[in-house]
Amino acid sequence: MSTTAFPTIDTPVGDVAGPGWNRQRHSQMPWNRYVDIYDRVEVLLDQRDWPRARITAAPLWVPVDLRDGNQALAEPMDPDRKRRFFELLIAMGYKEIEVGYPSASQTDFDFVRLLAATDIAPPDVTIVVFTPARRDLIERTVESVRGIRNEVVIHMYAATAPMWRNVVLGKDRAQLRDLILDGGRDVLEFAGDLPGIRFEFSPEVFNLTEPDYVLELCDAMTELWQAGPARPVILNLPATVEVATPNVYADQIEYMHRNLTRRDSVILSVHPHNDRGTGIACAELAVLAGAQRVEGCVFGNGERTGNVDIATLALNLFAQGVDPMIDFSDIDEIARTVAHCTRMPIHERHPYVGDLVHTAFSGTHQDAIKKGLAEHRARAADTGRPEREIDWRVPYLPIDPTDIGRTYDAVIRVNSQSGKGGIAYLLLTEYGLDLPRRLQIDFARHVQTHTDVTGAEITAAELFDLFETTYCDSAGSVELKDWHTGGQGADAVTELTVVVAGRTVTSVHRGIGPVDALTRALAGIDRPVEVLSLTQHSIGSTAVSYLEYRRGGEAGWACGRSDSVLAASMAAVMRAVNAP
C-alpha cells in the first residue's frame, strides 16, 4: 500500500474576509515548540472502511481499574478496597478483568493468589495479569497465577515507539524485536504447559510506532505463540499517550486489522488514553475500524487524564439501541463503590453518572423536558403499555434516567436561568400543585427575583415555601371569622362573619354562591376584590384553589388549600384581600 497524505485544514481564520470572521492575533504561548502530529505519524491506507461502518454489538470490555487505574491513584487500593472493586466488576457482568501487576508489588501478587485460593472469581470470568517483557518479572507473574481455576491471560508489554526505544530503552528496532521475542519465549517456558492460559501482547505507544515495525512485531508474536482460532492471541494496540485526532487512530487500527497475518486467530484490542480529551471517540472509531476488545476503566480513571471511560462507551451504545452487555441499572451504587475504592470523587458533569447530567436549569430546556415527559406518558397511555416499554424520545434526555436507577426528582432544578416550565414541573411532581399557565408566569418572576438576590440554586422545598409565602398566607387586617351556607341556586343562602380592624360585620347573601357572597361582603367593608378566574384541583384529600383577582386596579394571584374545594376557594379570596 502507498502512503496516504492527510488532508489539511489550514485556512488562517484571521485572513478570511467576510461576515462572521474576526482577525485574531497569535497566541503568546510557545506553540511553535511542538511538532505537528502528522509529521510524526504515517498511516498506510489508500482507502478506509471505518467511516461507513456501524457498531451493532458491544465489544469485549476489559476493565483495568485494578491495575492501570490502581497504579494511577495517589493512594493505591488496599486489599479490602481492591476486593470490593473486583466484586463490583463481577456484579456488573464483566467477563474479563485485568486484576493486577503481580511482579510490581506484594499487594498485587497477594490479590492474584487470593483468586487462586478462593472462589470469588466465577468460573466464566477470565483473569488477566500484566507483566513487562523481562524474564524475572514474567516468572514472578506466572507464579502468581498457578492454581487459578479460571482461564488466565498473561499480558506482556514493551514500549515500541522511537522515542521510547531510543531514550528509555536505548535499543534500535532489531534489538527491541529480540527483547520482545525473548520475553515471549519466557512466557512460553514458564506458562506454556499450564491449563487455561492464553497470551496477550501490547506494543506500548502503538500509536507513535512505525506501522510496518509494529505489524512485524505483532505477526512475530502470533507466530511464536502459535495463535489459532481455538486459542487466539490478544493483540492490544494502545494509544498510550493520545497525540492525534481520533481518525488517525482509526486508520492505524484498520491498517492492522487488514494486514495481520493470522487475523482469524487474533482478538484485536485497543487501550486508548485521554490526553487530548478524545479517548471515547478514539475507542468508538477503533471499534468501527475492526477492534473487538476495549480496555479501559469504569469511569475513566488512569494516568494523567485517564484511560478511556468504559461506562460512557457502554451507555453510548445503550443510548443507540445496542445491548452494552454490562449492567448499569444502579449507576449510583456503582459510583459510590468506585469513589470509595479509588478515594476520588466523580465530577458532577461526568457523562451519565454525574449528579447533574440529567438535570436542567435552563428555562427552555425545562419546558422541553416537561412537554416531552408528558408526551411520553400520553403515548404509553394510548398503547396501554408501561412507560418503560415505550420508545424514548424526550428532548435533552438522551436516555431515560430510570433505566440507570435514577428518578425524575432531580431532572429539573431551579436557579436564576430557569423558566416557568421548570418551576411548575417541580411544584407538580414534588407537591402536586398544578399551576395555571398565567400563575406559572407570575410565580416565575418571584423566583427570578429570589435567585438573582441569592445567586444560588433553589431547591424544591424552598420553591414550595416561596410559593406559600407569595400566594397562600391569608393572615392580615381582614379575617373571615365564620361562614355558613345552605340551599342551592335561587334558594342559596350564605351567612358571613368578617372582622376588620377589630370591628365585626355579619352579612347574609341570597341567590349567589359563597365566593360571590364573600366578595360582596368585602366590598361592603371597603375592601373590594374582583375575581377574574378560579381554578381548583385536589391533591389526595386536600383541595387547592388558584384565584386570579384584581384589587385596586392591579391583578394578582392567590392560593387556598383546605379539606374542601369551597373552603379552599374562600381561603384564596382572603389571601387576595390581605395580600401586600
Side-chain angles (χ1 to χ4, degrees):
M1 291 186 173
S2 61
T3 301
T4 301
F6 288 100
T8 61
I9 302 175
D10 55 5
T11 304
V13 173
D15 293 341
V16 176
W21 295 101
N22 294 312
R23 182 169 295 280
Q24 298 174 352
R25 64 180 179 84
H26 287 300
S27 167
Q28 299 303 302
M29 299 169 63
W31 51 269
N32 54 353
R33 293 181 60 206
Y34 299 94
V35 178
D36 190 330
I37 188 58
Y38 297 103
D39 295 331
R40 301 164 63 191
V41 173
E42 179 186 40
V43 177
L44 306 177
L45 286 181
D46 286 321
Q47 59 183 24
R48 45 195 57 81
D49 294 330
W50 63 260
R52 295 182 297 278
R54 292 179 60 190
I55 302 177
T56 57
L60 174 62
W61 307 115
V62 183
V64 297
D65 298 82
L66 302 179
R67 193 276 301 174
D68 202 348
N70 190 45
Q71 73 187 35
L73 297 176
E75 183 183 337
M77 287 180 267
D78 58 33
D80 288 342
R81 286 186 288 143
K82 196 161 190 178
R83 177 168 181 166
R84 181 171 173 181
F85 206 130
F86 179 77
E87 290 171 344
L88 170 70
L89 297 174
I90 294 296
M92 293 174 68
Y94 289 102
K95 297 303 180 185
E96 187 171 330
I97 302 171
E98 190 170 86
V99 299
Y101 194 156
S103 66
S105 75
Q106 190 63 43
T107 300
D108 272 23
F109 186 92
D110 291 344
F111 184 75
V112 179
R113 294 310 303 153
L114 176 69
L115 302 181
T118 67
D119 59 359
I120 65 171
D124 61 344
V125 172
T126 297
I127 302 300
V128 184
V129 288
F130 190 73
T131 181
R134 204 176 97 185
R135 181 176 176 84
D136 59 327
L137 302 183
I138 291 170
E139 182 177 17
R140 174 76 168 163
T141 300
V142 174
E143 280 302 309
S144 74
V145 302
R146 287 190 186 278
I148 292 182
R149 294 171 292 280
N150 301 67
E151 181 180 71
V152 172
V153 172
I154 306 291
H155 179 183
M156 189 191 82
Y157 80 97
T160 57
M163 185 189 304
W164 277 254
R165 288 196 312 260
N166 301 332
V167 176
V168 180
L169 300 175
K171 296 184 181 296
D172 60 23
R173 285 175 53 149
Q175 291 169 326
L176 181 59
R177 184 182 191 277
D178 290 343
L179 181 149
I180 291 170
L181 289 174
D182 285 345
R185 294 186 189 97
D186 292 335
V187 170
L188 285 176
E189 177 184 341
F190 295 121
D193 61 345
L194 296 180
I197 296 288
R198 290 196 293 112
F199 307 126
E200 176 178 355
F201 170 61
S202 284
E204 189 189 3
V205 212
F206 155 80
N207 58 324
L208 278 172
T209 304
E210 305 91 332
D212 64 317
Y213 181 54
V214 78
L215 182 63
E216 174 191 337
L217 292 174
C218 287
D219 282 342
M221 293 302 292
T222 55
E223 180 179 359
L224 174 66
W225 285 339
Q226 289 298 290
R231 194 189 186 194
V233 164
I234 301 165
L235 292 176
N236 185 55
L237 307 177
T240 308
V241 180
E242 192 180 30
V243 293
T245 50
N247 62 296
V248 175
Y249 190 52
D251 280 356
Q252 293 171 318
I253 299 302
E254 184 165 332
Y255 171 77
M256 297 295 290
H257 169 61
R258 290 186 186 185
N259 292 284
L260 286 166
T261 300
R262 299 183 182 220
R263 183 63 187 90
D264 63 347
S265 303
V266 166
I267 298 173
L268 194 60
S269 176
V270 292
H271 183 118
H273 277 250
N274 197 44
D275 298 270
R276 288 169 54 96
T278 56
I280 296 291
C282 282
E284 290 180 329
L285 268 57
V287 172
L288 293 174
Q292 301 151 290
R293 178 180 183 271
V294 176
E295 295 183 355
C297 287
V298 174
F299 294 128
N301 177 40
E303 300 282 8
R304 304 179 308 282
T305 57
N307 291 283
V308 73
D309 182 334
I310 298 180
T312 300
L313 286 168
L315 289 170
N316 282 353
L317 291 183
F318 177 76
Q320 63 191 61
V322 175
D323 184 352
M325 305 301 288
I326 301 296
D327 185 3
F328 288 95
S329 59
D330 190 356
I331 202 165
D332 288 332
E333 176 59 25
I334 295 168
R336 282 190 292 269
T337 301
V338 171
H340 167 79
C341 293
T342 62
R343 296 187 176 172
M344 291 178 61
I346 295 172
H347 196 279
E348 292 177 331
R349 298 292 184 189
H350 193 112
Y352 298 106
V353 68
D355 287 344
L356 295 179
V357 297
H358 299 119
T359 300
F361 289 103
S362 160
T364 55
H365 289 210
Q366 292 173 347
D367 183 62
I369 290 171
K370 179 187 174 187
K371 290 174 180 174
L373 289 171
E375 193 270 343
H376 181 76
R377 287 191 291 269
R379 281 191 289 122
D382 288 344
T383 62
R385 294 161 56 198
E387 289 183 28
R388 293 198 66 179
E389 295 181 6
I390 303 298
D391 291 347
W392 182 254
R393 299 194 299 269
V394 174
Y396 298 112
L397 293 177
I399 66 170
D400 184 345
T402 64
D403 287 338
I404 55 174
R406 296 268 174 92
T407 66
Y408 296 129
D409 292 350
V411 167
I412 289 177
R413 290 162 64 176
V414 173
N415 65 9
S416 61
Q417 302 300 308
S418 304
K420 62 184 184 301
I423 294 165
Y425 176 87
L426 279 185
L427 289 177
L428 177 61
T429 56
E430 296 290 325
Y431 297 100
L433 296 174
D434 191 5
L435 274 57
R437 180 173 174 79
R438 289 194 302 278
L439 177 53
Q440 293 177 26
I441 296 169
D442 188 78
F443 186 44
R445 292 188 297 103
H446 293 277
V447 175
Q448 183 79 42
T449 300
H450 175 87
T451 53
D452 281 344
V453 170
T454 64
E457 176 189 356
I458 183 171
T459 67
E462 292 169 334
L463 199 65
F464 180 74
D465 290 343
L466 181 62
F467 182 83
E468 287 267 290
T469 301
T470 306
Y471 300 109
C472 298
D473 184 3
S474 61
S477 62
V478 182
E479 179 186 359
L480 179 60
K481 190 72 173 178
D482 197 12
W483 59 280
H484 301 282
T485 63
Q488 294 182 349
D491 297 326
V493 177
T494 302
E495 182 177 343
L496 302 166
T497 300
V498 176
V499 177
V500 54
R503 181 168 62 97
T504 300
V505 179
T506 299
S507 59
V508 177
H509 307 269
R510 304 180 186 278
I512 58 175
V515 171
D516 285 341
L518 181 55
T519 58
R520 289 191 185 184
L522 293 173
I525 58 173
D526 200 25
R527 296 288 195 279
V529 173
E530 179 185 358
V531 175
L532 303 178
S533 68
L534 185 62
T535 306
Q536 299 113 353
H537 69 85
S538 295
I539 308 171
S541 61
T542 301
V544 182
S545 292
Y546 306 107
L547 176 73
E548 188 178 15
Y549 64 88
R550 182 180 291 113
R551 196 190 75 189
E554 294 187 3
W557 282 88
C559 176
R561 287 200 308 276
S562 189
D563 54 2
S564 73
V565 170
L566 180 54
S569 298
M570 300 292 272
V573 174
M574 293 310 298
R575 164 62 193 188
V577 75
N578 284 316

